[in-house]
Amino acid sequence: MPSNASIILYHTDACHLCELAAELLDTAKVSYRMVDICDDQSLVEEYGIRIPVVKLVAVQTELNWPFDLEALEHFLGA
């Protein structure tokens, strides 16, 4: 599985769906880095209506919400 440097969860505070996505990543037992899109206007423009988004940095692929544990594990290559 990818390391925490290679998985990003794009989110924002008070986003219930983002919390669910983080719980799924925790359940999948992978390390990841959370990036709050509100800290960067370009991220707001790119992800504002799509969050939560899981990104595999090494291959530049993204998994947009909605997804379940099975879809996440498939995306991560589990």
Side-chain angles (χ1 to χ4, degrees):
M1 281 228 188
S3 69
N4 68 329
S6 63
I7 301 174
I8 298 173
L9 173 60
Y10 290 106
H11 76 101
T12 192
D13 289 340
C15 168
H16 176 67
L17 297 177
C18 299
E19 293 169 4
L20 292 175
E23 289 174 12
L24 289 174
L25 285 162
D26 292 339
T27 300
K29 296 183 174 42
V30 295
S31 297
Y32 58 96
R33 180 170 54 104
M34 295 182 73
V35 174
D36 190 333
I37 65 167
C38 290
D39 295 336
D40 183 324
Q41 185 59 36
S42 65
L43 293 177
V44 170
E45 291 171 11
E46 185 170 355
Y47 296 107
I49 60 170
R50 297 194 295 143
I51 59 170
V53 175
V54 176
K55 182 173 188 172
L56 290 178
V57 177
V59 291
Q60 295 294 303
T61 58
E62 297 176 340
L63 179 63
N64 296 310
W65 191 262
F67 52 83
D68 59 12
L69 183 59
E70 183 179 345
L72 176 64
E73 289 177 335
H74 178 74
F75 175 74
L76 297 173

